[in-house]
Amino acid sequence: MVLPALLQPNSRLGSRMSKQQHYRTPLRLPDNVVEVKSKFEAEYRRFALKRNSPGDFQEFYRLLQTIHHIPGVDVLLGYADVHGDLLPINNDDNFLKAVSLASPLLRIIISKKEDEPGVFATNSLQRRKKGLGLTGLRTTVSGSAHSKNKPGLMIGLPQNFRQISSIIDVDILPETHRRVRLHKHGTNKPLGFYIRDGVSVRVTPQGVEKVPGVFISRLVRGGLAESTGLLGVNDEILEVNGIDVTGKSLDQVTDMMVANSHNLIVTVKPANQRNNVVHRGSKTSVGNCGSVGSVGSTGSTLSHDSPSPASQSNPITASNSIAEGDSDNEDDDRDLILENDCLTPFDSHHITNSNNTNLYDRDSPTSILHSTTVRTPLPQSISLPNSVGASLSDNSTTMSTLNGNTASSSHENMREDGNIITL
Amino acid sequence: MRRFRRHGHESQRDRLKQELFHFNKTVEHGFPHQPSALGYSPSLQLLAIGNRSGAIKLYGAPGVEFMGLHDENAAVTQVHFLPHQVELVTLLDDNSLHMWTLRAHKGLSELLEIGRFMLTGPPGAPPSVTRVTAVLAHSSGELLLLGTEGGHVFVVEVPGFRELEERNISLDQVSNSVPDDYIGRRNLEHVEALQENPVNPNQVVIGYGRGLMIIWDLEKQRAIQHIPATQQLESVWWTEDGSYILSSHSDGSYCRWMVGAEDVNEEEEKSDIPYGHFPCKAISKIVQLPTEKGPPFLLFSGGMPRASYGDRHCITVIQNKTQVALDLTSRIIDFFVIRDGPKHTGDPSALVVLVEEELVVIDLQTEGWPVIQTPYLVPLHSSAITCSHHISTIPIKLWERVIAAGELQNTHYSKKPWPITGGQNLAPDPPQRDLLLTGHEDGTVCFWDASGVCLYPMYKLSTAAVFHTDADPNDNMNQGTEGEWPPFRKVGCFDPYSDDPRLGIQKIHLCKYSGYLTVAGTAGQILVLELNDEAAEQTVEAKVVDLLQGQEGFRWKGHTRLDVREEPVLFPPGFQPFALVQCQPPAVVTALTLHSEWKLVAFGTSHGFGLYDYQQKNNVLIKCTLNPSDQLAMEGPLSRVKSIKKSLRQSFRRMRRSRVSLRKHHVNNAAKIQDANARLEAELAEMELAPVQRKIEARSSDDSFTGLVRTLYFADTFLSDSSHNTPSLWAGTNGGCVFAFMLRLPPVEHRADEPVTAQPAKEIQLMHRAPVVGIVVLDGHGAPLPEPLEVAHDLARSPDLQGSHHLLVISEEQFKVFTLPKVSAKMKLKLTAVDGSRVRRVGVAWFGSSRSEDYGESGLVVLTNQGDLHVVSLPGVKMQVQYPCIRREDVSGIASCVFTKHGQGFYLISPSEFERFSLSTRHVVEPRCLVEVPLHSDNSTKHRPLHDGFSSAHGNARHDSEDPEVLQEIQKSLEGDQTSFLENNVKSAVA
């Protein structure tokens, strides 16, 4: 289960969700009907639903189409929650939530799909990949057929945001620990934190024991770590990408983090234990399976007001989701390879250089772009197409034409090529 | 089923790993760091050296070496062999005594500690009473006399360390027998010296710090004679015939006293201050030895005139009319003299001096007393080691030529064989000839025979002659002027003072087939040298290479280029430079490689790399790798360190200035001074308390030193298409970038006139941007490409050019295999991401199986910054084995590590010592030697009783040692008992 913490503008999403969670089960209103006021363009409709059996999302969707006389028009549904924020209704769960939260009126806003900024239309392929990866991760982690049936499980519109961090593996970690994934890839923002040596207190059967530990010592203002709000000064670092750091020196931990910086997953024991993720399941019953399932379908909660129940006894188990076969793992594989098969020879008097055929090769096998072959001559061009896969072992024709090309400023050319490549 | 099969495969692989890899540290080469004690056994012909960290090392004939380490981390202050036995006693700084023995085990001797002992005084006595200051191992081999700070002499039975209280010689006993007029005024002070009468083992002389000497009869337990010297005593020597005692004193004098006269107040016979008139330093040790015919040898250390030569470390040797003051390179620890004859009682043959930084052996039987070259304990650090390079399996021809060149350099050494010959070297002859080259700070390169246990110096090359240096060449002429007093003669080779730090050697590459050598140094100089058996006078032409290639906006803040001598220089036989490249800016050379078949040298600095054709003496390629925003790379070496120091210094100065100015202006405002003090304190406190923190940030292209070239590699491989292999040059940088250039070489017949060309072919920017520390091309079989000329000399299988080649890029963080010619990632092994360690040193090695003669595989040997050794398989890049090797705090040790091509390696454990280790089961070089108990006519026949103390301690009943049956029984019961010290005793008693 993944709870994405989304950057601007909708940063209050998490807290709102937690509220929803709290009101989920109890029925507080004495009357068993919900008043609904729906709006489509300039038209309003008012009707009522049975609070106990409002039906499912599809029924509701068709009901609205009928009421508004717009059969066949693809629409998006939204509702106004108690805080006055517009939240989407697109599956059974958030439909039920919306109904249960109606107090007393459920305001529905209907908009045409075409009017909405397209979910996938404007997105780069990279984002799509990320979105897919996210869904994939959810299904693998929760493993329930329930969520697979609903590929459109979306609370907000994550594609509109760049995911920079997430809390993962909530189900397998003790509640005192937090596993945070920082996505460095694609951003220019520095990770922006410092670590230091320190003393950690462990509770052992023999009593309280002081052991050396590694802690976050500083967060850089405006850095990735600070902007997530998931890491804090004096948080103890327990694992880096699933590897226990006990017994490792500060320099070793530093090197591990730097080596994983493209996709850094740190497990911390937050110094502030008040914002911990709470297992819903652990509150209600011991039956772990059930709780996992429910969490998996609705997303886990960030409880801001309830202190964590004592569950230190849970051992930290290695997480499956951060093993080598992880979908994001190929990120670091994308070395930039520049194959200049047609460069003129160098000699000590004048260095000649031609228009090279430069290719950006992304060797991640899953990349859709890999198959497309684009050849881009790039003299002094600044924007190298981000994804150009190719093979160019045979360039005899280009070679012959380019060999004669003598550029006097070829050295600068070469250098700039280098810079382009490193951009 | 599948899982089961895989499991079977795994276990088979595990077995194979055991047959291929085994780690152990085998031998330490070089000179022990900080030696503190010297011992010698004439009967065993073994030398023992103890050092300040509690190690003890024994040396005999070349190849015979033993090492032991005390559990206590205390300095060894004295080492004494028990006469005619294989035991030795060490005294440590913490006042503990330790008994060591050489025990034969499976035909080889081992050095084992068999007992320890601490003197216990009477209850309530101050610790000085039992603080041992002098040790005498009695010639009976059963007694140890321990003189203490309190002035007592304790008698202890060895090897079991049993105190014989009734035989102790207390200060009271001595005082009572001394006339009142002497004792009444003086405190005798500590026991400074203990000596046995060479002709009467029952007599010992006890010398007290105040100067008084007493000849004591051990049997009768009484003083026989008093020698009332008045000067502070330094040492005592009893002459061979037992008739005289020599004493040396702190005022630089020595005295000779007649022994045996009943007169207690015997007048001193002769007193002399050898370097007298003006105050002299103490003579710390004096030795006099007779010769068969002619006058005796007198040797003493120290005694120099305090004011003019007080800083010299001298041993004076006087025989007949000849007197020489041997001027040694560092502080004298101790010395002894080796004597001829079957019982080692003949003429003195060699003087062995241990000084702090080297061992010097002087031939006393050859005219002029020349130095004998030591086969071991050679100071590696005569000038500080700056880099090292190992070459395995040297062809015999090159080997002999290097030796011949070296012999011409060693003409001033004595022709006498090495005089210390104890033990037998049972190690098999080394299977191959290996060379270890060490580059030094003063611009020299030393060639060491690293084939066996002894790291033997073969040849020394100096590159300084090519350049103008500040040093006056006549400086080193240390021939003393005629009639100089004292008659100094410099001995030893330790010379840590470099004329010019720019001469320092940073990289070395030798082609063993062609004899071409290239060395590169601190000031961006690259020399190409050729082995020549004749001396030659030639000019070395310098070629300046601008690595910045027009990049502007930089100012080099480091040192300047070296000045090249314009005139022809006479080079002695050996490696003679014929080409010189000087990088501009003259930054330290960080990568160097040579291809003797193509006659090309590639070199790199923090600014870029170049390719030099040493046949045409022409540059082929220059590539600037510098990032335009990298300012640090433009500063000279250490400028950053300097700036920290500078800022510290400045802040202190500021504080001082503020205080001075306060005083100057007569501001009596104490508050202001206090304020300044408080600020200073706050600054200091901040410096100390600033928490150590590490920034977590992904590497970026703007980091410093990304352009530094870390590795260069020549390969004949498929760079452009998969059907034609071409020569290529590969370079890896600190910023995780790999450059590949295709080289076009003219046909052999036109090699001298047609130009070599290079064109850029590939560029790989590793996403993780970690420094690239190694590049290897693997052939179609996954084997690393052979070295240049290796195939031509039929020494290697030619590479498989049919299958596809692979490129292995080793960064500090991971190992990554790419396909060729189209570069795409095939597989990788992450190191840092998994365990936080980073690759520091890497090498390709071949591991032979210990079980089957013809099976072997190539692997990567890796040393990490955590000091762990890994073997990574090729071409699969899988971790095979891991062994902890070096402490991770030992940064210089890790940086100094070199690997051999057969799975061994060397690293510095101190500035002067290499530790040798082996990861291979097949190639192991370690000392294998045997030392036998000496057959001494007196002792072997002499009955030596076993004492109750020992036998009861070991649970044996009282027994008669003469009963052979009982003895055998004891022997049986003791067999396999490694820590028992009885065994040897019993064995020697049987013998």
mmCIF file of all heavy atoms in Angstrom, chain B residues 860-882:
data_model
loop_
_atom_site.group_PDB
_atom_site.id
_atom_site.type_symbol
_atom_site.label_atom_id
_atom_site.label_comp_id
_atom_site.label_asym_id
_atom_site.label_seq_id
_atom_site.Cartn_x
_atom_site.Cartn_y
_atom_site.Cartn_z
ATOM 1 N N LEU B 860 38.490 -10.588 -10.576
ATOM 2 C CA LEU B 860 38.894 -9.245 -10.179
ATOM 3 C C LEU B 860 39.204 -9.275 -8.700
ATOM 4 O O LEU B 860 38.420 -9.786 -7.914
ATOM 5 C CB LEU B 860 37.757 -8.249 -10.392
ATOM 6 C CG LEU B 860 37.480 -7.694 -11.769
ATOM 7 C CD1 LEU B 860 36.339 -6.702 -11.663
ATOM 8 C CD2 LEU B 860 38.696 -7.018 -12.335
ATOM 9 N N VAL B 861 40.340 -8.726 -8.328
ATOM 10 C CA VAL B 861 40.670 -8.593 -6.926
ATOM 11 C C VAL B 861 40.396 -7.145 -6.549
ATOM 12 O O VAL B 861 40.838 -6.231 -7.237
ATOM 13 C CB VAL B 861 42.147 -8.936 -6.670
ATOM 14 C CG1 VAL B 861 42.416 -8.971 -5.196
ATOM 15 C CG2 VAL B 861 42.502 -10.250 -7.300
ATOM 16 N N VAL B 862 39.646 -6.971 -5.490
ATOM 17 C CA VAL B 862 39.172 -5.634 -5.145
ATOM 18 C C VAL B 862 39.481 -5.362 -3.678
ATOM 19 O O VAL B 862 39.237 -6.203 -2.827
ATOM 20 C CB VAL B 862 37.646 -5.538 -5.365
ATOM 21 C CG1 VAL B 862 37.126 -4.183 -4.911
ATOM 22 C CG2 VAL B 862 37.298 -5.782 -6.815
ATOM 23 N N LEU B 863 40.028 -4.197 -3.415
ATOM 24 C CA LEU B 863 40.183 -3.746 -2.038
ATOM 25 C C LEU B 863 39.262 -2.555 -1.851
ATOM 26 O O LEU B 863 39.267 -1.621 -2.639
ATOM 27 C CB LEU B 863 41.631 -3.340 -1.761
ATOM 28 C CG LEU B 863 41.913 -2.812 -0.353
ATOM 29 C CD1 LEU B 863 41.808 -3.927 0.672
ATOM 30 C CD2 LEU B 863 43.284 -2.171 -0.272
ATOM 31 N N THR B 864 38.450 -2.590 -0.790
ATOM 32 C CA THR B 864 37.491 -1.515 -0.570
ATOM 33 C C THR B 864 38.027 -0.515 0.448
ATOM 34 O O THR B 864 39.033 -0.781 1.109
ATOM 35 C CB THR B 864 36.155 -2.061 -0.042
ATOM 36 O OG1 THR B 864 36.379 -2.557 1.279
ATOM 37 C CG2 THR B 864 35.624 -3.150 -0.934
ATOM 38 N N ASN B 865 37.338 0.574 0.564
ATOM 39 C CA ASN B 865 37.750 1.582 1.544
ATOM 40 C C ASN B 865 37.510 1.102 2.972
ATOM 41 O O ASN B 865 37.955 1.735 3.918
ATOM 42 C CB ASN B 865 37.026 2.911 1.295
ATOM 43 C CG ASN B 865 35.546 2.816 1.539
ATOM 44 O OD1 ASN B 865 34.978 1.733 1.571
ATOM 45 N ND2 ASN B 865 34.902 3.944 1.718
ATOM 46 N N GLN B 866 36.807 0.001 3.122
ATOM 47 C CA GLN B 866 36.639 -0.584 4.452
ATOM 48 C C GLN B 866 37.784 -1.538 4.779
ATOM 49 O O GLN B 866 37.791 -2.177 5.823
ATOM 50 C CB GLN B 866 35.311 -1.348 4.539
ATOM 51 C CG GLN B 866 34.097 -0.492 4.231
ATOM 52 C CD GLN B 866 33.936 0.650 5.216
ATOM 53 O OE1 GLN B 866 33.996 0.448 6.412
ATOM 54 N NE2 GLN B 866 33.773 1.864 4.698
ATOM 55 N N GLY B 867 38.704 -1.681 3.840
ATOM 56 C CA GLY B 867 39.840 -2.565 4.059
ATOM 57 C C GLY B 867 39.537 -4.023 3.790
ATOM 58 O O GLY B 867 40.322 -4.897 4.143
ATOM 59 N N ASP B 868 38.399 -4.306 3.165
ATOM 60 C CA ASP B 868 38.049 -5.689 2.848
ATOM 61 C C ASP B 868 38.523 -6.051 1.449
ATOM 62 O O ASP B 868 38.483 -5.231 0.536
ATOM 63 C CB ASP B 868 36.523 -5.874 2.888
ATOM 64 C CG ASP B 868 35.981 -5.737 4.295
ATOM 65 O OD1 ASP B 868 36.785 -5.817 5.237
ATOM 66 O OD2 ASP B 868 34.765 -5.549 4.435
ATOM 67 N N LEU B 869 38.936 -7.301 1.303
ATOM 68 C CA LEU B 869 39.311 -7.813 -0.008
ATOM 69 C C LEU B 869 38.151 -8.643 -0.557
ATOM 70 O O LEU B 869 37.547 -9.438 0.166
ATOM 71 C CB LEU B 869 40.547 -8.711 0.103
ATOM 72 C CG LEU B 869 41.888 -8.010 0.222
ATOM 73 C CD1 LEU B 869 42.947 -9.014 0.635
ATOM 74 C CD2 LEU B 869 42.273 -7.365 -1.092
ATOM 75 N N HIS B 870 37.837 -8.431 -1.827
ATOM 76 C CA HIS B 870 36.807 -9.215 -2.483
ATOM 77 C C HIS B 870 37.408 -9.830 -3.731
ATOM 78 O O HIS B 870 38.276 -9.238 -4.359
ATOM 79 C CB HIS B 870 35.638 -8.335 -2.943
ATOM 80 C CG HIS B 870 34.941 -7.616 -1.839
ATOM 81 N ND1 HIS B 870 33.785 -8.084 -1.260
ATOM 82 C CD2 HIS B 870 35.227 -6.461 -1.201
ATOM 83 C CE1 HIS B 870 33.396 -7.236 -0.324
ATOM 84 N NE2 HIS B 870 34.253 -6.241 -0.272
ATOM 85 N N VAL B 871 36.903 -10.997 -4.103
ATOM 86 C CA VAL B 871 37.189 -11.514 -5.430
ATOM 87 C C VAL B 871 35.866 -11.545 -6.181
ATOM 88 O O VAL B 871 34.862 -12.052 -5.668
ATOM 89 C CB VAL B 871 37.822 -12.916 -5.392
ATOM 90 C CG1 VAL B 871 38.048 -13.426 -6.807
ATOM 91 C CG2 VAL B 871 39.138 -12.879 -4.644
ATOM 92 N N VAL B 872 35.871 -10.944 -7.370
ATOM 93 C CA VAL B 872 34.671 -10.871 -8.198
ATOM 94 C C VAL B 872 34.945 -11.695 -9.454
ATOM 95 O O VAL B 872 35.986 -11.532 -10.090
ATOM 96 C CB VAL B 872 34.356 -9.402 -8.559
ATOM 97 C CG1 VAL B 872 33.194 -9.326 -9.525
ATOM 98 C CG2 VAL B 872 34.072 -8.599 -7.313
ATOM 99 N N SER B 873 34.018 -12.561 -9.790
ATOM 100 C CA SER B 873 34.249 -13.472 -10.901
ATOM 101 C C SER B 873 34.158 -12.729 -12.228
ATOM 102 O O SER B 873 33.502 -11.702 -12.344
ATOM 103 C CB SER B 873 33.224 -14.606 -10.869
ATOM 104 O OG SER B 873 31.941 -14.086 -11.146
ATOM 105 N N LEU B 874 34.815 -13.268 -13.224
ATOM 106 C CA LEU B 874 34.759 -12.744 -14.592
ATOM 107 C C LEU B 874 34.300 -13.879 -15.509
ATOM 108 O O LEU B 874 34.733 -15.008 -15.325
ATOM 109 C CB LEU B 874 36.147 -12.262 -15.032
ATOM 110 C CG LEU B 874 36.639 -10.951 -14.398
ATOM 111 C CD1 LEU B 874 38.046 -10.655 -14.870
ATOM 112 C CD2 LEU B 874 35.716 -9.803 -14.726
ATOM 113 N N PRO B 875 33.477 -13.620 -16.486
ATOM 114 C CA PRO B 875 32.884 -12.332 -16.831
ATOM 115 C C PRO B 875 31.556 -12.080 -16.108
ATOM 116 O O PRO B 875 30.898 -11.094 -16.407
ATOM 117 C CB PRO B 875 32.652 -12.473 -18.321
ATOM 118 C CG PRO B 875 32.346 -13.933 -18.499
ATOM 119 C CD PRO B 875 33.127 -14.660 -17.469
ATOM 120 N N GLY B 876 31.176 -12.932 -15.193
ATOM 121 C CA GLY B 876 29.824 -12.840 -14.626
ATOM 122 C C GLY B 876 29.626 -11.780 -13.564
ATOM 123 O O GLY B 876 28.519 -11.582 -13.102
ATOM 124 N N VAL B 877 30.700 -11.097 -13.174
ATOM 125 C CA VAL B 877 30.702 -10.144 -12.053
ATOM 126 C C VAL B 877 29.808 -10.585 -10.881
ATOM 127 O O VAL B 877 28.805 -9.975 -10.551
ATOM 128 C CB VAL B 877 30.390 -8.685 -12.473
ATOM 129 C CG1 VAL B 877 31.554 -8.090 -13.211
ATOM 130 C CG2 VAL B 877 29.131 -8.537 -13.294
ATOM 131 N N LYS B 878 30.210 -11.695 -10.289
ATOM 132 C CA LYS B 878 29.535 -12.180 -9.081
ATOM 133 C C LYS B 878 30.552 -12.171 -7.943
ATOM 134 O O LYS B 878 31.716 -12.534 -8.127
ATOM 135 C CB LYS B 878 29.047 -13.617 -9.285
ATOM 136 C CG LYS B 878 27.962 -13.747 -10.334
ATOM 137 C CD LYS B 878 26.589 -13.555 -9.713
ATOM 138 C CE LYS B 878 25.487 -13.726 -10.731
ATOM 139 N NZ LYS B 878 25.590 -12.798 -11.871
ATOM 140 N N MET B 879 30.081 -11.769 -6.788
ATOM 141 C CA MET B 879 30.957 -11.750 -5.628
ATOM 142 C C MET B 879 31.320 -13.179 -5.251
ATOM 143 O O MET B 879 30.444 -14.027 -5.110
ATOM 144 C CB MET B 879 30.193 -11.079 -4.489
ATOM 145 C CG MET B 879 31.056 -10.372 -3.498
ATOM 146 S SD MET B 879 32.010 -9.069 -4.218
ATOM 147 C CE MET B 879 31.100 -7.649 -3.682
ATOM 148 N N GLN B 880 32.598 -13.462 -5.098
ATOM 149 C CA GLN B 880 33.031 -14.818 -4.766
ATOM 150 C C GLN B 880 33.358 -14.953 -3.287
ATOM 151 O O GLN B 880 32.751 -15.741 -2.591
ATOM 152 C CB GLN B 880 34.249 -15.182 -5.607
ATOM 153 C CG GLN B 880 33.995 -15.174 -7.107
ATOM 154 C CD GLN B 880 32.956 -16.198 -7.503
ATOM 155 O OE1 GLN B 880 33.136 -17.394 -7.275
ATOM 156 N NE2 GLN B 880 31.858 -15.746 -8.069
ATOM 157 N N VAL B 881 34.350 -14.206 -2.859
ATOM 158 C CA VAL B 881 34.762 -14.309 -1.460
ATOM 159 C C VAL B 881 35.037 -12.914 -0.931
ATOM 160 O O VAL B 881 35.233 -11.976 -1.699
ATOM 161 C CB VAL B 881 36.044 -15.166 -1.291
ATOM 162 C CG1 VAL B 881 35.756 -16.634 -1.422
ATOM 163 C CG2 VAL B 881 37.118 -14.735 -2.276
ATOM 164 N N GLN B 882 35.062 -12.831 0.375
ATOM 165 C CA GLN B 882 35.344 -11.548 1.027
ATOM 166 C C GLN B 882 36.135 -11.816 2.285
ATOM 167 O O GLN B 882 35.785 -12.695 3.063
ATOM 168 C CB GLN B 882 34.030 -10.843 1.366
ATOM 169 C CG GLN B 882 34.243 -9.573 2.180
ATOM 170 C CD GLN B 882 32.953 -8.901 2.578
ATOM 171 O OE1 GLN B 882 31.867 -9.371 2.235
ATOM 172 N NE2 GLN B 882 33.062 -7.812 3.299
#
